[in-house]
Amino acid sequence: MEAFAVPGLPEFEAGDDIAHEIEAASDLRDGDVVCVASTVVSKVEGRTADLADYPAGPRAREIAARLEELTGDERDPRFAQAVLEESTDLVMDEPFLLTETRFGHVGVNAGIDRSNTGGAELLLLPRRPSESAERIRDGLDADVSVVVTDTSGRSFRHGQTGVAIGWAGIPASRDWRGETDRDGHELEVTVESVVDELAATANLVSGEGDDGTPAVVVRDWAFGDHEGSENLYRDVEGDFVRQALRGWRYD
Ligand code: GDP
Ligand code: MN
Ligand code: MN
Ligand code: MN
């Protein structure tokens, strides 16, 4: 397997065609996985915003004041408002905001980015990243899979990695249950989130700064002969860690 960045992509703006730019800059083959940073998907989908777009309501003002008190850092209540508006569930409200986005991803500050925003104050995650992935896939000539990635923190571990927030042409996970290990034991629980592993691979190549490499091709990797599953995000009922945290619904 190899992973390489698509070279020479432009600075993306609202309305640009990502598939067209990738097609022009690469020589894709059937079976490739094309991973695209959500940052550029958001840019072309016009998901930029400014703090002035989010006049803070009472809840956002309360959250910002509390976070300011806890952390000693100045907090803009309009940012808290933007996070609330991008979220359907506030999983934690201190000492930072951990929320569920409308499409199911749980992340700090609803994944709202303040770096590589193309000059805007805020870059929101794509509204429906799997639909974005499908559109990019449709726009490419070769029969590829597409994964839309974001850099995300993880509970229990320092550091961020690439995770998948949207995908097309590939199941989210491959199910090893029922297959056997080297001792002949049947695997009972292992469902491998391949889209996250592909996203992490791509993120390693993309970088986080000014590299200008938002699209990475993973070549000569195959899903293999396994069952697949579309599930990536746990339902609250089956998410015992989340149930252990205080929950609050925003709608
Ligand atoms: P995120 O992980 O989706 O939040 O995206 P990052 O901000 O980490 O950016 C991922 C990669 O895309 C980095 O190499 C950035 O330099 C690059 N990047 C971000 N925006 C653009 C853009 O508009 N054009 C190009 N060519 N690269 C970009
Ligand atoms: Mn991001
Ligand atoms: Mn990143
Ligand atoms: Mn193991």
Side-chain angles (χ1 to χ4, degrees):
M1 166 183 135
E2 58 175 328
F4 54 90
V6 175
L9 292 175
E11 187 65 26
F12 285 98
E13 286 171 20
D16 287 351
D17 184 341
I18 292 178
H20 179 83
E21 298 295 342
I22 292 176
E23 191 69 54
S26 59
D27 202 359
L28 295 176
R29 300 183 193 160
D30 290 354
D32 285 349
V33 183
V34 180
C35 301
V36 183
S38 54
T39 286
V40 294
V41 176
S42 295
K43 282 178 179 173
V44 304
E45 294 181 1
R47 296 280 287 157
T48 48
D50 289 310
L51 288 166
D53 302 331
Y54 296 99
R59 181 73 177 128
R61 287 202 298 273
E62 190 186 308
I63 287 171
R66 174 76 181 142
L67 294 184
E68 209 165 278
E69 179 188 315
L70 283 173
T71 64
D73 301 327
E74 208 175 306
R75 298 299 174 123
D76 193 320
R78 297 171 302 173
F79 184 71
Q81 183 68 33
V83 173
L84 292 178
E85 290 189 25
E86 282 300 300
S87 305
T88 51
D89 190 23
L90 187 49
V91 179
M92 280 175 63
D93 61 1
E94 63 177 52
F96 53 84
L97 297 178
L98 183 68
T99 78
E100 179 177 358
T101 64
R102 295 180 191 286
F103 59 89
H105 172 64
V106 173
V108 173
N109 293 332
I112 299 177
D113 229 315
R114 300 176 94 161
S115 66
N116 282 325
T117 62
E121 285 176 322
L122 307 175
L123 192 61
L124 315 177
L125 286 179
R127 262 186 235 284
R128 282 180 284 277
S130 286
E131 290 178 18
S132 311
E134 192 70 62
R135 274 196 299 277
I136 295 170
R137 182 171 127 84
D138 285 346
L140 294 167
D141 291 337
D143 184 12
V144 300
S145 318
V146 173
V147 177
V148 175
T149 71
D150 192 24
T151 303
S152 178
R154 295 93 32 91
S155 302
F156 312 114
R157 307 173 79 89
H158 285 295
Q160 293 91 43
T161 65
V163 300
I165 61 166
W167 56 95
I170 187 179
S173 8
R174 64 184 173 191
D175 193 341
W176 292 82
R177 290 175 298 181
E179 298 184 37
T180 45
D181 73 3
R182 294 172 64 83
D183 304 319
H185 293 137
E186 191 173 308
L187 301 176
E188 287 172 12
V189 293
T190 308
V191 177
E192 181 187 12
S193 173
V194 293
V195 287
D196 277 339
E197 294 177 317
L198 290 161
T201 302
N203 206 71
L204 203 54
V205 177
S206 278
E208 303 292 352
D210 64 359
D211 309 63
T213 44
V216 170
V217 178
V218 176
R219 179 162 291 169
D220 292 332
W221 172 82
F223 186 85
D225 186 19
H226 302 270
E227 292 293 312
S229 156
E230 281 310 317
N231 291 335
L232 187 65
Y233 306 117
R234 287 185 195 278
D235 296 331
V236 181
E237 306 79 64
D239 188 341
F240 302 114
V241 174
R242 188 147 154 207
Q243 283 181 38
L245 297 166
R246 183 167 49 88
W248 174 79
R249 283 213 157 257
Y250 181 83
D251 40 29

